[in-house]
Amino acid sequence: MTKHQPPESVSRPESDRMRHKKQAKRAAILEAALREFTDNGFADARLSAVARNAGVAKGTLYLYFDSKEKLFEGVVRETLLPSGEEGIISDNPHHLSTEAFRRSMLASVADLQNSGRSGIALVVLTEGRQFPQLVEIYVNAVLEPVLAQIDRLAHSDDTARLDVLRRFPQLLIAPVIAGLLWNRFMTGYPPIDLVDIASAQLALVLGDEAASNTAESNEIMD
Amino acid sequence: MTKHQPPESVSRPESDRMRHKKQAKRAAILEAALREFTDNGFADARLSAVARNAGVAKGTLYLYFDSKEKLFEGVVRETLLPSGEEGIISDNPHHLSTEAFRRSMLASVADLQNSGRSGIALVVLTEGRQFPQLVEIYVNAVLEPVLAQIDRLAHSDDTARLDVLRRFPQLLIAPVIAGLLWNRFMTGYPPIDLVDIASAQLALVLGDEAASNTAESNEIMD
DNA sequence: AGAAAAAATGACCTGCCAGTCATTATATCA
DNA sequence: TGATATAATGACTGGCAGGTCATTTTTTCT
């Protein structure tokens, strides 16, 4: 009765300070979860460890994410997707020139390799069985556009060796995937540089006129 | 006192009939386990389901295998390795001619695709994180010999386009691995024929003089 | 046949961990 | 400052599945 405030606002949600704190906490949780999932995979990831490393109690996790699955989904959505493979994907459905394609693909691969995203990509890849809807998200957001761009490239001018891409657009990304797995499992062997192997495959498929280019661009990237 | 039998044979192990029964039971368990692991992966495989499908009690499993891990190892050892990639591996360390290599590799891939082994290979691939020693077994028994053979090929006569194999012998098997993953996760998309994609990659790396050959050999294989 | 050994059984045990919730701490606002 | 709402906590629980073992069934051997 004493309230002269508008009655419809029964629960005043948040002040600015609070919003920031919650955002920060959410970010901390996601960061800790990214680490935990990357290191241990989904099944062996411990929510207690995520909570500890995020500096919160276990129960707090459930104020931000409904379940372990949703937390994983959150990590994928906010870590893997945002930067995406912009280089290759881009918004414009125009097809790139062969050289432009080569450059943007290598840039994407370099980005993937140097960010923590490759770890999560690998988890999606290896434990995707349990999360069909996650795989679908990833496919729609990343794989499809990449393959579409490859397909566009395959239907451009040079029909010489490009027709193999029309049958198997996956050929261009296969070495990257295999390289990710190699680096994960073949500990004790020298790791594969994803940019180098992607570059080698590009040379095989598109021609190797840029073999020296590649070396240059590598130096620049590192 | 009444025993005039040699005292050292306290436990007479087995008769022929018994050996056969035990062998059959062991085989039934392995078969059911292969199915269960293939369908559900390691983490989600249920030993109770294995027992049920093998027609034995759960406790019986432990008379044949010490643990779930050992059972999985048994499946890998006796299902994945035995037939191996004989074609490519072979015992002789002689390098094959380009054409012989192409043929034996395609035969191996066809064999992998048509047997249940690809399912288990995929499980090793995707859940290998938890079983470094299993990965090691697989690497030593299959991957190493294959890569060695590829390396031998790479150091044979034709140095033209083969030097890329010297840097990345993995390039030849990358499409097969990627194809396995694609067929597992990209349900709803047309599956990739592993022989076809391997053939395409072989054509890229070794030259496509056998493009028509490939089509023929495919028909024969199917 | 029947005693003794080996094999098989499945009810039970146990450790683990995602998820809960009564309690406590912190923020909001009059 | 005190009343109320919102956020955070962490001890606890429920269920699940890998693994055990006292009991029963089958085989072996005289």
Side-chain angles (χ1 to χ4, degrees), chain B residues 5 12 15 21 45-47 58 62 68:
Chain B
Q5 291 295 73
R12 196 74 46 75
S15 69
K21 276 188 83 169
R46 299 290 152 235
L47 293 190
K58 196 164 61 146
Y62 288 87
K68 193 181 183 183

Side-chain angles (χ1 to χ4, degrees), chain A residues 148-169:
Chain A
Q149 191 63 271
I150 293 177
D151 207 55
R152 244 170 265 129
L153 177 71
H155 285 87
S156 66
D157 39 324
D158 183 0
T159 56
R161 225 180 314 182
L162 261 50
D163 61 17
V164 70
L165 281 188
R166 243 162 277 167
R167 297 172 56 216
F168 298 114

Side-chain angles (χ1 to χ4, degrees), chain A residues 12-27 64:
Chain A
R12 196 75 45 76
E14 285 146 10
S15 68
D16 279 4
R17 247 179 67 89
M18 210 55 218
R19 291 191 89 93
H20 281 127
K21 275 187 82 168
K22 289 187 72 171
Q23 276 309 104
K25 203 155 273 189
R26 183 186 169 86
Y64 292 83

Side-chain angles (χ1 to χ4, degrees), chain A residues 88 101 142-155 169:
Chain A
I88 290 193
F101 179 89
V142 180
L143 203 56
E144 279 279 14
V146 170
L147 289 175
Q149 191 63 271
I150 293 177
D151 207 55
R152 244 170 265 129
L153 177 71
H155 285 87

